[in-house]
Amino acid sequence: DSGVTQTPKHLITATGQRVTLRCSPRSGDLSVYWYQQSLDQGLQFLIQYYNGEERAKGNILERFSAQQFPDLHSELNLSSLELGDSALYFCASSVELGPVNNEQFFGPGTRLTVL
Amino acid sequence: AQKITQTQPGMFVQEKEAVTLDCTYDTSDPSYGLFWYKQPSSGEMIFLIYQGSYDQQNATEGRYSLNFQKARKSANLVISASQLGDSAMYFCAMRGVNQGGKLIFGQGTELSVKP
């Protein structure tokens, strides 16, 4: 158990809908990362927050948005869902921002299926 | 641009034998870290081992060791004495000092351990 929690574990929805994925980082971790794992794209970085502020953006679609709240939990909002958004969405957390040896602890993931 | 390449989509190894999973990388960052993660069929991402670009010695963690050849830009994972529980997807990842906190992942290698 990495200490990172994600809810829900599974999510099935229809095209055009909107969903919210939730992540609670490990106690004491200030940095939260979101990744998407799909069969065609592999594991891709989406977005990073550090202590409530957005710090880096990757290949995140405009239909997707995220935020980190004062209690450090984070939410990833996916709207106008398409079939291609079906994927495993991971949240990861780490203590600090800078050091390259900063291990990221991954949550169990949320498996999103868009029908 | 940063890139991780894992050229072995799938590999087989006999139980109790050693296996090497290949990883090459490309980066212009002066300092970077290299990570290996294991993803069993259950889906979670498990951190295995880390190597810093300025580390003088190759990293080792139990049965896992990292064969780091900086001039060749390779960071191969060696698993000794393979066990049936080692059957999983293995991902090589990199974090550059100028890239914020994000990890860049390779496409992964599926390892199957045969009894």
Side-chain angles (χ1 to χ4, degrees):
Chain A
D1 186 347
S2 67
V4 179
T5 60
Q6 288 187 250
T7 57
K9 195 169 177 60
H10 301 278
L11 198 48
I12 301 174
T13 188
T15 54
Q17 295 298 305
R18 174 189 168 94
V19 297
T20 297
L21 313 184
R22 182 188 168 103
C23 166
S24 292
R26 290 189 324 154
S27 177
D29 285 0
L30 299 178
S31 201
V32 169
Y33 312 79
W34 286 97
Y35 294 88
Q36 178 196 57
Q37 185 178 30
S38 62
L39 282 175
D40 52 344
Q41 299 288 335
L43 260 163
Q44 288 202 82
F45 168 75
L46 294 178
I47 197 164
Q48 175 195 5
Y49 280 82
Y50 179 77
N51 204 18
E53 292 190 8
E54 181 186 306
R55 294 307 299 255
K57 254 185 175 178
N59 299 325
I60 187 167
L61 300 171
E62 285 192 10
R63 301 183 285 108
F64 295 2
S65 65
Q67 53 183 326
Q68 186 179 27
F69 295 86
D71 67 352
L72 300 178
H73 92 271
S74 178
E75 292 181 357
L76 179 67
N77 301 296
L78 316 176
S79 62
S80 303
L81 285 167
E82 301 175 0
L83 296 177
D85 297 328
S86 295
L88 187 54
Y89 290 85
F90 284 108
C91 169
S93 73
S94 65
V95 174
E96 299 175 60
L97 188 62
V100 293
N101 65 339
N102 218 1
E103 179 186 341
Q104 291 182 21
F105 295 86
F106 280 74
T110 292
R111 186 168 295 281
L112 173 66
T113 303
V114 182
L115 301 175
Chain B
Q2 295 202 113
K3 189 175 180 182
I4 294 280
T5 303
Q6 295 179 254
T7 57
Q8 306 153 313
M11 286 194 70
F12 289 91
V13 64
Q14 205 67 38
E15 194 179 6
K16 299 180 185 176
E17 291 186 351
V19 63
T20 298
L21 307 184
D22 294 342
C23 171
T24 57
Y25 62 90
D26 191 20
T27 181
S28 55
D29 284 9
S31 174
Y32 48 90
L34 296 154
F35 302 78
W36 278 90
Y37 284 86
K38 172 184 178 181
Q39 186 177 38
S41 57
S42 51
E44 71 269 31
M45 296 288 287
I46 303 167
F47 166 74
L48 294 178
I49 195 167
Y50 163 82
Q51 179 82 45
S53 59
Y54 284 101
D55 291 344
Q56 295 297 314
Q57 292 190 332
N58 286 343
T60 59
E61 289 285 350
R63 294 186 299 110
Y64 304 109
S65 60
L66 205 152
N67 183 2
F68 179 49
Q69 298 187 51
K70 194 171 182 178
R72 294 188 176 186
K73 293 191 174 181
S74 74
N76 299 338
L77 177 71
V78 180
I79 305 175
S80 62
S82 296
Q83 302 172 354
L84 296 178
D86 294 334
S87 294
M89 282 290 288
Y90 288 81
F91 291 95
C92 179
M94 175 171 61
R95 178 181 184 177
V97 68
N98 294 330
Q99 307 302 320
K102 67 181 180 184
L103 287 171
I104 304 296
F105 285 88
Q107 288 300 102
T109 295
E110 184 170 9
L111 177 67
S112 298
V113 181
K114 295 196 275 189

